[in-house]
Each structure stands twice: as structure tokens, then as C-alpha cells.
Amino acid sequence: MVVSAIYFAVNFYCLYGLGYILDNDIVMLILGSDFNEAREFASVMLPKWIIVSILGILLVFIALAVLSRKHRLNLGKKASRLALVGTGLCVAVNASTWDVWGEGPIHYISSLMKYEQAEDLTAYYTHPKLTIQDESQLPCNVVLIIGESFARSHSSLYGYDKVTNPHLSALRDSSLLFTIDSIDAPAPTTAESMRLMLSKFSQADDTPSNDKSWFEYTTIIELMQDCGYDSYWFGNQARGSKNNSANRVFAEACQHQKFLQQEGSEKYNVNHDIVLVDSSSQYVHNIKPQEHHFIIYHMMGSHFDFSMRYPKEFARFKEADYADQPADHRSTLAAFDNSIFYNDYVVDRIMSLYKDKEAIVIYLPDHGQVMYRNPQKSWYFAHGNPQDPVSYALGVEIPFFIYASPLYQQKHPETMERIKNRQAHPKAWNADDLPYFIMDLIGVTAINGQDTRDKSVLN
């Protein structure tokens, strides 16, 4: 009965706050969050009246249980039978919404156990055979910036009517930045997207019939290390535990890691992303020519709560700027756009660290946001809903930027022509093939005989 009440309460919230009942995607979302992230999420998405209502119902049940024991209440046979029938109907209705073995609690427990096994990615290294076109032409610095919750529709680089990307627009006007269109994230949640994006594990592999776990697939970090790259992870998201943090297991596969959020600190989860620039500038400054570095930046980006993701001086957009939107949407839209505006500043600063080096910098977020664009649920703005094709499609639309330093462009003219051609001729590509693109970018033509260009965004 207690388990049923808890399951009901969770589903009640999921239906109200997210628009769909508890499923494996929500379980993965929970697993990928720590306490502070969950608290932020709840402050935005969980109204107080829901908490009060659920607590009130539980108090009523507790009071009835105490009274029945104290006064030995006897409801009579008819009332007992009626209650039994009502309970049976509730069980039948609830059972019809999920398959106990397929998508129900047992499946969630199985997913949890499988997820917890990803402790040390280096233990699963297979060192695949890499065919390199010309080792002397390997770019010295390959940089991957992973953003957070950036909806492509809110980027002025992609036609948004508010100027959210002034710095990156200036880079594009200077022929240093290239925007690639029609890119989708592999999943609408961070943990799921990260494991698909940073390894050869793909959406096609993510099936119940596949006995091979995601962490048994080759990661981009292993591939880059096998190509002779020193790997470094700068993270402004929480380190977390090995059981709840996709970014931690990837970070710890790198030869060096630096996490900038401090668990247990009063400032936890409020470090603005500029700390990524400050913490890495000396490291980048000391990079010597001909050394090979693969550097990953993991941003807080536009993580809930949007209003916490930027300093006050970056509050460029106000509620009044959204007069054509419903009144209860305006503060959220303003905060989200301010977070994108600040993100633009930080990403530009990171790219600027490499302007005098031979460097190629890739930016993409883990996923997008719905941002009130689903006409069926116009009140909803958060993660995409895998059970709703419209919501899902909106939740995985992401921007994709490539920065090429002047020295890189000078040394790799053929690759630059391919990048420019791809910018001019957009076509659909999913970021779960990111490892193939990065291998193609540096001149690895095959992985265990498989042509990297077949899955590269530049193909």
C-alpha cells in the first residue's frame, strides 16, 4: 500500500509537471542528478500546492490508520467489499498504464543496476585498430565544449529574433566560426545523451535485446588517447558519485580532470561558467607547439534554474520583451535567453584561448529544451518527452558550432572546405555519431576497418 501510494504520488507529479507518467527516461534523469540539481529542478517545476496536497493525503491515511487501531473500527462486510472492489479497480487501471516486466518497476530496477556498473571506463578499453591518413597532420589541439539545455530555436545564429549570440556572430562574420544546421542530440536528458554522444554506443544499440552495456563500447576519450592526445576534462557540473554521474566516469577516463563545483559548499551549483576560462587559461597558455591535446569543457550552460546561470550584468532581456507571450511564460523566457546570452560570452572566451594555436573547437549542448513550443502542451518548457514525438523532436534540437583558428585553417585547407560545404548544405545528423566526426576531423579514416566518413557530419 505504501509503495503504491509513493508510485501514485510520483506519477501524479510526472503527469502534472512533465506531461507523462514515470518511465525509464525519468529514471535516467533522476540517476543523472544529484541532490542540489534535484532541488533546483523542484524549485522550478514542482508547485508547493502539489507537495501540500500529497502530504495532506498521507496525513489523512495515517490518521485513519491510527484511529482504526485505537478504536477498532469495523466497516462491515458491505463496506469492506466495496473498498476491496474499488482497490481492485485502481490496481487494474494502474496496471493498464505500464507493463510490469517491460516498462514497469522491474524494468526500472534493471536499468538502475545496469547503470551502476559504469565505474571505470579504462577497464573496458579495447584499443581498436585506427587507420590514420597522415600522423604528421594530426591537429595539435582538439577542443570539445559540451553545453547544457541550449534550444537551437533561441540562438540568433539560427534566426532567433532576439540577439542572444552577439560574440559568436562576430566570430562567424570573421570566418572563424561555422554553424551547422539540422543537428539533433541523441537524447533529451543529460545522462542518456552523454553516454551516446561520447562513445560508439548508439541509439540502435540501446535495445533490451542487447546484452552489451554502453560502457563496453569504445569512447571518444580512448580513441583520442590512442591517437597520442593528452586528455583533460574541465567540468563546471558536479563531480557526483560514480553511480549517478555520467560526466564523472567520462572525466575520470581522461588523464587529467578538474571539477569546479564543490560538493558541500554553500556556493555549490552557482559557479558561473566563466570559471572554466579562468581555470584552464594557464594550462592552455603552457601548451607547446606540436604537442597534442584533447580538452573537454563541460558547462552548466542553461541548466535549471535558468536565473542562476548568469551574473546580474548579463540580465539583458526583461519580461517586457515578451509582451506577445502569455504572462506566465515571460519570466522563464527572459531568464532562459539571458542564460543563452551569457553562454555566448563564455563560449567566445573559451574559443579565444586558442586563437593563436593550431586548434579546432567544437561546441554542442547535451540536449535542447521544449520552451513552450509544443502546441499540445503550451504550458511546458523543460526536457523533451520521449513518449510524445512533437515534444521529443523539440527537446533534441541543438546548435552545433565549429571554431577553426587561423593557424588551423592554414594547415588544413581540405578539411576547411568540407566544413564550409557542410555549412552551406545542411542535412540531418545525430550527435550520437560524434566520435566518428572527431576521428574524421583529425584524419582517422577508419576504426577497425569502418570508414569514419560514413557517420561524420562532414560527409
Side-chain angles (χ1 to χ4, degrees):
M1 181 177 175
V2 174
V3 173
S4 296
I6 294 172
Y7 188 74
F8 166 78
V10 171
N11 260 332
F12 180 72
Y13 164 68
C14 289
L15 279 169
Y16 176 85
L18 304 178
Y20 54 104
I21 63 171
L22 178 69
D23 68 353
N24 192 52
D25 293 282
I26 298 179
V27 172
M28 296 305 294
L29 178 62
I30 294 169
L31 288 174
S33 302
D34 55 41
F35 174 77
N36 290 275
E37 290 176 342
R39 184 175 60 186
E40 269 190 42
F41 183 86
S43 70
V44 176
M45 297 294 294
L46 189 56
K48 292 180 180 178
W49 70 263
I50 291 184
I51 300 173
V52 172
S53 298
I54 291 174
L55 289 175
I57 292 170
L58 290 175
L59 286 173
V60 169
F61 272 100
I62 292 170
L64 288 173
V66 171
L67 286 172
S68 65
R69 283 194 172 190
K70 187 175 181 179
H71 299 286
R72 295 185 180 181
L73 298 178
N74 188 351
L75 298 177
K77 289 184 178 181
K78 289 184 178 180
S80 297
R81 288 171 182 171
L82 185 61
L84 185 61
V85 170
T87 302
L89 287 171
C90 289
V91 170
V93 170
N94 282 325
S96 68
T97 63
W98 46 266
D99 171 10
V100 173
W101 300 99
E103 292 296 331
I106 294 176
H107 177 69
Y108 306 153
I109 293 170
S110 174
S111 297
L112 173 61
M113 294 176 66
K114 187 175 182 180
Y115 190 82
E116 286 182 333
Q117 293 172 6
E119 295 185 359
D120 181 7
L121 292 181
T122 63
Y124 297 92
Y125 277 11
T126 59
H127 302 292
K129 181 182 178 181
L130 303 178
T131 305
I132 303 177
Q133 192 171 24
D134 184 352
E135 290 194 24
S136 68
Q137 292 298 307
L138 289 173
C140 292
N141 301 287
V142 178
V143 182
L144 176 62
I145 306 174
I146 304 172
E148 170 73 51
S149 304
F150 189 158
R152 185 169 70 223
S153 62
H154 282 250
S155 168
S156 54
L157 282 163
Y158 289 88
Y160 187 47
D161 63 357
K162 291 177 176 56
V163 183
T164 53
N165 295 128
H167 295 91
L168 297 181
S169 293
L171 287 179
R172 186 174 66 175
D173 293 343
S174 301
S175 298
L176 294 172
L177 185 84
F178 304 87
T179 55
I180 310 297
D181 205 352
S182 303
I183 306 299
D184 283 345
T189 57
T190 299
E192 194 77 1
S193 185
M194 292 280 280
R195 67 182 193 172
L196 286 163
M197 199 163 58
L198 297 181
S199 75
K200 288 180 63 183
F201 179 69
S202 70
Q203 293 168 319
D205 300 315
D206 193 12
T207 62
S209 60
N210 184 12
D211 294 330
K212 190 175 179 180
S213 298
W214 71 269
F215 47 83
E216 297 178 77
Y217 289 78
T218 305
T219 68
I220 185 58
I221 296 165
E222 177 187 355
L223 291 171
M224 293 299 283
Q225 289 171 349
D226 284 353
C227 289
Y229 283 82
D230 184 62
S231 55
Y232 211 120
W233 183 287
F234 291 96
N236 195 31
Q237 291 205 24
R239 185 185 189 93
S241 71
K242 289 182 177 179
N243 294 336
N244 81 340
S245 178
N247 59 298
R248 174 169 177 167
V249 292
F250 283 112
E252 292 188 348
C254 294
Q255 288 140 328
H256 317 278
Q257 319 96 35
K258 192 164 187 178
F259 286 91
L260 302 169
Q261 294 287 356
Q262 299 299 315
E263 286 91 341
S265 168
E266 291 181 359
K267 295 183 178 180
Y268 179 81
N269 255 26
V270 295
N271 277 348
H272 295 133
D273 278 328
I274 196 63
V275 296
L276 291 167
V277 179
D278 299 335
S279 64
S280 64
S281 58
Q282 190 61 41
Y283 171 79
V284 177
H285 177 74
N286 291 333
I287 289 175
K288 298 176 182 178
Q290 305 310 314
E291 291 181 345
H292 291 88
H293 298 264
F294 178 50
I295 304 161
I296 299 175
Y297 293 87
H298 191 201
M299 305 178 71
M300 280 297 287
S302 298
H303 196 291
F304 288 131
D305 173 358
F306 304 143
S307 63
M308 294 176 63
R309 303 285 83 91
Y310 54 89
K312 290 186 295 184
E313 59 268 27
F314 282 84
R316 174 175 185 166
F317 302 102
K318 312 295 182 186
E319 290 188 41
D321 297 323
Y322 304 87
D324 59 334
Q325 299 294 323
D328 57 343
H329 294 181
R330 294 171 191 169
S331 63
T332 300
L333 288 168
F336 184 69
D337 284 349
N338 286 330
S339 72
I340 300 297
F341 180 60
Y342 180 64
N343 184 84
D344 174 80
Y345 168 74
V346 175
V347 173
D348 172 70
R349 290 285 305 277
I350 293 173
M351 290 175 173
S352 295
L353 292 175
Y354 300 89
K355 63 183 180 181
D356 296 325
K357 301 183 181 296
E358 181 197 350
I360 187 83
V361 184
I362 303 151
Y363 171 87
L364 76 167
D366 51 5
H367 55 80
Q369 295 282 79
V370 175
M371 297 313 297
Y372 304 119
R373 291 175 294 151
N374 185 353
Q376 303 299 321
K377 292 176 181 155
S378 59
W379 48 268
Y380 184 71
F381 66 88
H383 294 77
N385 177 351
Q387 298 178 25
D388 178 350
V390 174
S391 175
Y392 179 86
L394 295 171
V396 296
E397 286 182 354
I398 57 172
F400 192 94
F401 310 139
I402 300 174
Y403 169 86
S405 70
L407 185 56
Y408 177 90
Q409 296 195 37
Q410 178 185 335
K411 294 186 67 173
H412 304 277
E414 292 184 7
T415 302
M416 290 310 305
E417 284 303 311
R418 294 178 65 204
I419 291 173
K420 292 173 184 176
N421 181 67
R422 181 61 174 81
Q423 179 178 244
H425 300 91
K427 62 178 181 179
W429 185 78
N430 196 289
D432 68 353
D433 287 331
L434 184 66
Y436 296 94
F437 162 58
I438 293 179
M439 288 293 97
D440 177 30
L441 193 67
I442 69 172
V444 174
T445 58
I447 305 171
N448 283 338
Q450 182 181 14
D451 193 335
T452 56
R453 289 198 176 194
D454 288 345
K455 294 187 175 183
S456 171
V457 70
L458 300 183
N459 186 18

